[in-house]
Amino acid sequence: MSENTAPQCLPLASAAAAVVVMAGLVSLFATYWDDAWHTDIGRDDALIPPHLLLYGSVAVVGLVVAGWGLLALWRTRSLIAVLRRPPLLIAGIGGLVTLASAPADAWWHEVFGRDSVLWSPSHMLTVFSTLALIGGVLAGLRPAAPLPLWWAGGALLLGSAVTSVLEFETDVPQFSEALYLPVLLVASMYVAILLRALSPDRHLVAGAVVVYVLARLVISVLLAAMGRTVPDLPLAVIGLAAIDLPWRRPFIAYAAGAAGVAATTLLSAGVGLSSVSFDAVLGPAAVVLIGFCGVLLLVGRRARGAAAVALLLGLSVPVLVPKPASAHDPGQGQIVGTAVLTAGSDGAGTVTLTVEGCVNLTPQRIVARRAGQEIAGPLTQLTGGCRSSGQVRVDPAGMWFLYAELRDPNGTVETWLPVETEDRASVRQTRPIYIPAGTARVTAGQIAAGAGLYVIGLFMLSLTVYLVRRGHRRPDVGRRGIANRLTPPTSTWAAGATRRSP
């Protein structure tokens, strides 16, 4: 086979891509199941059911990509030819790093303590590598692959990207809620740019949004049937579909997509369908919407600058908000015992935590934590047995994590339980008492390890950026292809399929 044709040989078969998409959607369900598990039951070992389902679905994807590579090697009889095919190479690297992220996460928790923070380096490495894996698979598809397959693949890419805001949408925010919309905008616009670079279909983003919303609806139904915490419906991303309207210029389409996400986020928060407060999204949303109006009024060369300035201002608003942005979960270290916890709310903002079974432990305080906020009160010993109780007042909206801090001969230990504050309710569970992993001074080794994992993750993202640049240089999905998608459709799909090499 000639040098010119080798890198373009053997696109991924539609059937194989369908297996990847189905397994990927299963892994998306496993991710939300895992988050609900940690909220409802607590931190646990690596072999809990959602972890096993997640590992299994990722393994299926890895096997498909490996089979794709072996088939390409058999067809070309040249390893160099296989490595010169970017979609296959990027999917392979993404798959390897995704599989490696599981033991990396286990190592991180073993060395630095268990945590429930999605933005920890080991967790974000999984997100970044998954994006590279899915991006490579989509780039390896033929343009003439069935349109529903493109939509489902786009939905999987969107779901993987917006996993970065999962904790906000499951009402367990670790960081300031003011970060929600900016992170959601970056994630959703990243997906839109990548999808429009990979396929000539004019309505690919809108189709991906529809499939993603349906997939999340199914996930919510399954979690509710299992008695687990159910996430918000992803109403915020519906506005991203505005990008596929027949705008005159590409940059206006992207500005419209950002404005659409801002508008639907603001609407869902305003009517109470989002766990994120209306005040937290009002500032960034207002800036993005005003910027979009400015883009429409200044259509021309200056509009590009206006769109960029509006987006940057929208993303910078949370930096100016004087709320703490550090994760509230300090991490779980060595377990020293167990306690029976009872957490209750009066529905008006007063929450109570009672601890039973704390032998040889001295109660210190109760701490309510949510989205970087911390409200503390005394935890006092009760008469008649080893029981202590404390009470604090919080904002009666959303889920708060109630921590009981106690003291043993070696120092401070803690245990926790989540409680919904909007209703009169109580929860009673047996939870571990452990040494907080995050109270010790952060070591240079932990900083270096975290930085190393993030560097690997950013490298994964850079691979998908290459796919975007590669797509823009190809005639069916380059600037002319984007322009075709922004005008009334004729035979764009058929034309792209005939012009584009497999």
Side-chain angles (χ1 to χ4, degrees):
M1 184 170 292
S2 70
E3 183 179 350
N4 292 334
T5 60
Q8 299 177 350
C9 67
L10 198 63
L12 182 63
S14 296
V19 173
V20 169
V21 170
M22 291 301 298
L25 292 175
V26 171
S27 72
L28 189 63
F29 164 72
T31 300
Y32 281 90
W33 185 16
D34 180 50
D35 179 80
W37 184 286
H38 291 309
T39 298
D40 301 335
I41 299 177
R43 307 178 187 90
D44 215 324
D45 58 42
L47 299 180
I48 59 176
H51 286 180
L52 295 177
L53 182 61
L54 182 61
Y55 301 154
S57 57
V58 171
V60 170
V61 174
L63 289 174
V64 173
V65 174
W68 182 19
L70 291 174
L71 184 58
L73 182 61
W74 180 75
R75 290 277 184 87
T76 62
R77 301 293 196 275
S78 170
L79 179 61
I80 294 177
V82 173
L83 296 178
R84 290 183 63 230
R85 177 161 175 77
L88 176 55
L89 180 61
I90 292 174
I93 295 175
L96 288 174
V97 176
T98 300
L99 292 172
S101 64
D105 184 55
W107 169 83
W108 180 272
H109 294 329
E110 180 69 23
V111 175
F112 304 117
R114 294 178 179 176
D115 61 67
S116 297
V117 183
L118 177 62
W119 290 355
S120 69
S122 58
H123 295 161
M124 290 308 296
L125 176 63
T126 304
V127 175
F128 294 148
S129 58
T130 300
L131 293 174
L133 169 59
I134 301 169
V137 167
L138 292 178
L141 273 178
R142 294 181 183 271
L147 191 53
L149 181 58
W150 277 103
W151 289 345
L156 180 58
L157 187 69
L158 180 61
S160 299
V162 301
T163 297
S164 54
V165 295
L166 176 148
E167 289 174 336
F168 295 96
E169 296 181 343
T170 54
D171 202 22
V172 290
Q174 294 279 349
F175 299 87
S176 169
E177 290 181 324
L179 294 171
Y180 170 68
L181 180 55
V183 175
L184 178 63
L185 278 171
V186 171
S188 57
M189 296 307 297
Y190 157 84
V191 170
I193 292 172
L194 182 55
L195 288 179
R196 292 164 69 85
L198 295 179
S199 171
D201 176 49
R202 181 173 176 266
H203 300 296
L204 179 56
V205 175
V209 168
V210 170
V211 175
Y212 173 65
V213 171
L214 292 176
R216 283 284 301 276
L217 179 61
V218 172
I219 289 173
S220 295
V221 170
L222 291 175
L223 289 177
M226 298 167 66
R228 294 283 168 247
T229 298
V230 177
D232 299 338
L233 289 178
L235 303 178
V237 300
I238 292 177
L240 185 65
I243 204 170
D244 281 344
L245 294 174
W247 303 102
R248 292 175 57 188
R249 300 188 182 183
F251 64 88
I252 300 179
Y254 289 119
V261 172
T264 48
T265 300
L266 196 62
L267 179 62
S268 60
V271 299
L273 295 177
S274 171
S275 297
V276 182
S277 67
F278 181 81
D279 292 341
V281 299
L282 178 59
V287 173
V288 173
L289 291 171
I290 292 172
F292 175 62
C293 293
V295 169
L296 295 180
L297 293 174
L298 299 173
V299 175
R301 293 183 178 180
R302 295 181 181 178
R304 297 173 183 263
V309 170
L311 183 58
L312 288 175
L313 285 176
L315 299 181
S316 66
V317 166
V319 179
L320 306 177
V321 178
K323 293 183 178 180
S326 58
H328 69 64
D329 181 72
Q332 176 177 310
Q334 178 184 352
I335 296 177
V336 297
T338 60
V340 177
L341 305 183
T342 304
S345 169
D346 67 354
T350 299
V351 291
T352 304
L353 182 65
T354 301
V355 185
E356 304 175 45
C358 45
V359 180
N360 298 325
L361 296 175
T362 303
Q364 290 185 304
R365 65 173 187 162
I366 174 179
V367 185
R369 295 177 174 134
R370 174 182 168 88
Q373 303 176 66
E374 183 174 296
I375 302 174
L379 184 66
T380 56
Q381 190 83 36
L382 300 177
T383 59
C386 185
R387 298 171 64 244
S388 56
S389 181
Q391 187 178 89
V392 293
R393 286 194 59 83
V394 299
D395 181 12
M399 183 180 292
W400 286 76
F401 287 78
L402 300 185
Y403 287 77
E405 293 186 355
L406 310 110
R407 188 167 187 84
D408 72 356
N410 297 318
T412 299
V413 295
E414 69 180 23
T415 182
W416 61 272
L417 196 63
V419 60
E420 288 282 357
T421 60
E422 297 176 343
D423 303 314
R424 296 177 61 91
S426 64
V427 181
R428 182 180 175 88
Q429 292 183 11
T430 300
R431 290 288 181 119
I433 303 173
Y434 58 87
I435 300 172
T439 55
R441 186 175 63 87
V442 177
T443 64
Q446 184 174 359
I447 294 174
L453 292 177
Y454 265 109
V455 166
I456 298 173
L458 293 176
F459 172 70
M460 294 292 100
L461 285 184
S462 71
L463 295 179
T464 63
V465 172
Y466 170 78
L467 290 176
V468 172
R469 295 177 61 86
R470 176 177 178 269
H472 282 172
R473 289 196 298 267
R474 301 176 73 162
D476 59 325
V477 290
R479 296 183 182 275
R480 180 180 301 177
I482 291 177
N484 288 339
R485 290 196 298 271
L486 300 178
T487 56
T490 53
S491 57
T492 306
W493 180 261
T498 55
R499 287 196 304 267
R500 185 175 179 178
S501 298

